[in-house]
Amino acid sequence: MSVPAEATYADGSTGTLTIQLTGWIPGPAYGETEAVRTSRIHTRTGPLGTTAAIFHQVGELDPAKERSAITLTAPSGTARAHVFALSLERND
């Protein structure tokens, strides 16, 4: 699934990037790493013994500019993106 994102910089300019998200159950599909893997998931009808994961992904923004906001756009279709954490750090 692709999630369009817009970075707003401190100077008022913006930049875009697309975040590719892998579903819970398959392995990483877009160069992510696994942050957490579990041996079961919880469904509306109770626990299900299948593995699932939350993934970690790195996106590139303009390193010369200070970021002030990230806006994620809902993906199209019926899929729902789940973002559990987002951190901004410099790679100096």
Side-chain angles (χ1 to χ4, degrees):
M1 158 187 347
S2 296
V3 178
E6 181 178 76
T8 302
Y9 298 103
D11 65 3
S13 63
T14 61
T16 60
L17 70 147
T18 299
I19 300 170
Q20 300 279 30
L21 300 175
T22 299
W24 298 81
I25 296 174
Y30 302 106
E32 313 97 322
T33 56
E34 286 184 8
V36 177
R37 176 152 297 272
T38 183
S39 60
R40 80 171 81 181
I41 61 174
H42 292 276
T43 68
R44 289 183 175 108
T45 59
L48 179 62
T50 188
T51 60
I54 295 173
F55 300 102
H56 170 262
Q57 188 176 101
V58 176
E60 297 291 326
L61 298 171
D62 189 336
K65 295 184 176 186
E66 180 180 345
R67 271 97 37 219
S68 61
I70 300 288
T71 304
L72 301 176
T73 304
S76 61
T78 59
R80 295 182 332 194
H82 293 76
V83 177
F84 294 98
L86 178 67
S87 65
L88 302 174
E89 58 185 56
R90 294 197 153 210
N91 197 11
D92 296 335

